[in-house]
């Protein structure tokens, strides 16, 4: 920003001839700051007086601050926390992953997977036996009936394979 005082075109008879015709004061620009100031003043039109002027004069240029040569303080790079490390999973918020491959169930199998199958078939009123976790003849017939009603042919009849499981789990809870 520059300030100028004095006559732009000269010849103004009402001006005070005790100071320079033009005085320029610039504020330092951080992008172009140099170590020494360089104010620009025009040569006075008349001989200056040695006594101070009664009129207020523009401030004299102050010394331009030097750019800092010391490095600025930057915070140290934080050490990654487990939540910032790539490739980890927060198991407290992530849903449990389903088994990689769900077991194929058939006649003679026992366990909680068979109990779940019997429960799902009961929800659709296809299985009416005891929910005991044993894949017997009644469970096999219910699976075969379900496959027939839904048109599933990729799994063998009466075998609770991937396609039968996917369809039954989509229809029940």
């Amino acid at each position: 920003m520059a300030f100028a005082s004095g006559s732009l075109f000269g010849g103004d008879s009402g001006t005070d001839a005790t100071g320079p015709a033009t005085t320029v004061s610039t504020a330092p620009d951080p992008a172009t700051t140099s170590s020494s100031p360089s104010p620009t003043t025009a040569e006075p039109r008349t001989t200056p007086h040695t006594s101070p002027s009664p009129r207020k004069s523009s401030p004299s240029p102050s010394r331009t601050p030097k750019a800092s040569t010391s490095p600025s303080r930057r915070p140290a790079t934080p050490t990654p926390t487990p939540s910032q490390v790539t490739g980890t999973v927060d198991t407290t918020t992530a849903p449990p992953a389903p088994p990689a491959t769900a077991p194929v169930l058939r006649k003679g199998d026992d366990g909680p997977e068979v109990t779940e199958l019997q429960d799902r078939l009961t929800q659709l009123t296809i299985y009416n036996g005891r929910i005991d976790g044993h894949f017997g003849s009644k469970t096999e017939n219910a699976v075969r009936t379900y496959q027939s009603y839904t048109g599933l042919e990729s799994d063998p009849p009466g075998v609770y394979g991937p396609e039968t499981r996917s369809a039954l789990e989509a229809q029940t809870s």
Side-chain angles (χ1 to χ4, degrees), residues 2-138:
F3 297 97
S5 65
S7 173
L8 181 63
F9 297 106
D12 186 6
S13 61
T15 59
D16 184 7
T18 60
T22 305
T23 303
V24 177
S25 174
T26 58
D29 181 4
T32 60
T33 301
S34 67
S35 62
S36 64
S38 57
T40 305
T41 55
E43 291 295 322
R45 292 185 200 169
T46 61
T47 307
H49 296 121
T50 56
S51 63
S53 173
R55 187 172 46 134
K56 286 186 178 180
S57 63
S58 57
S60 62
S62 61
R63 185 168 185 210
T64 305
K66 291 184 179 181
S68 174
T69 56
S70 63
S72 63
R73 288 187 173 184
R74 293 183 186 212
T77 304
T79 304
T81 60
S83 62
Q84 295 173 327
V85 177
T86 305
T88 61
V89 176
D90 184 3
T91 57
T92 59
T93 59
T101 56
V104 174
L105 301 175
R106 56 183 46 91
K107 190 174 181 179
D109 288 337
D110 294 296
E113 295 89 6
V114 177
T115 303
E116 181 182 337
L117 168 62
Q118 291 169 333
D119 181 55
R120 289 179 185 274
L121 291 169
T122 300
Q123 291 176 35
L124 299 176
T125 65
I126 296 173
Y127 178 75
N128 60 2
R130 280 187 36 219
I131 299 177
D132 57 5
H134 176 70
F135 198 123
S137 296
K138 285 189 176 188

Side-chain angles (χ1 to χ4, degrees), residues 117-118 120-127 135 138-153 155-173:
L117 168 62
Q118 291 169 333
R120 289 179 185 274
L121 291 169
T122 300
Q123 291 176 35
L124 299 176
T125 65
I126 296 173
Y127 178 75
F135 198 123
K138 285 189 176 188
T139 305
E140 181 184 36
N141 286 334
V143 170
R144 185 178 286 124
T145 301
Y146 177 75
Q147 290 169 328
S148 174
Y149 287 164
T150 57
L152 298 172
E153 297 178 351
D155 296 329
V159 175
Y160 190 53
E163 188 175 323
T164 306
R165 177 184 298 272
S166 178
L168 184 60
E169 287 179 353
Q171 291 182 329
T172 58
S173 58

